[in-house]
Amino acid sequence: IVMKPSMKDTAAGKFHELKGKVRAKAGQLTNNPGLQIKGTMEEAAGKVQGIIGQAEKALEKRRTRQ
């Protein structure tokens, strides 16, 4: 199966969002602010990557219409 770059970015973004949420929660439960911050940052990076994937998908659709 070959994935388009937009789909790869979207999937990777969702993975990093989930991983970040888990890391942040682990940091909260263990009272480890460093881990919590890293998790929050990874979650935010995952959201950005997902948005990039959505933008790429929109551009792909626009290119195919022209």
Side-chain angles (χ1 to χ4, degrees):
I1 298 174
V2 177
M3 291 177 72
K4 293 181 180 181
S6 62
M7 191 63 186
K8 285 182 184 179
D9 280 332
T10 303
K14 291 289 181 187
F15 172 73
H16 285 291
E17 273 187 73
L18 178 63
K19 188 175 163 187
K21 283 181 184 181
V22 170
R23 210 179 238 185
K25 191 64 174 177
Q28 185 180 19
L29 292 173
T30 60
N31 198 24
N32 183 340
L35 185 60
Q36 190 173 359
I37 290 169
K38 284 181 182 178
T40 302
M41 288 173 52
E42 186 166 7
E43 183 180 354
K47 287 180 183 183
V48 170
Q49 191 171 12
I51 291 168
I52 290 170
Q54 290 173 353
E56 287 175 345
K57 186 175 181 179
L59 288 173
E60 287 171 3
K61 283 184 179 181
R62 187 170 183 184
R63 282 186 208 138
T64 57
R65 289 184 192 161
Q66 292 178 349

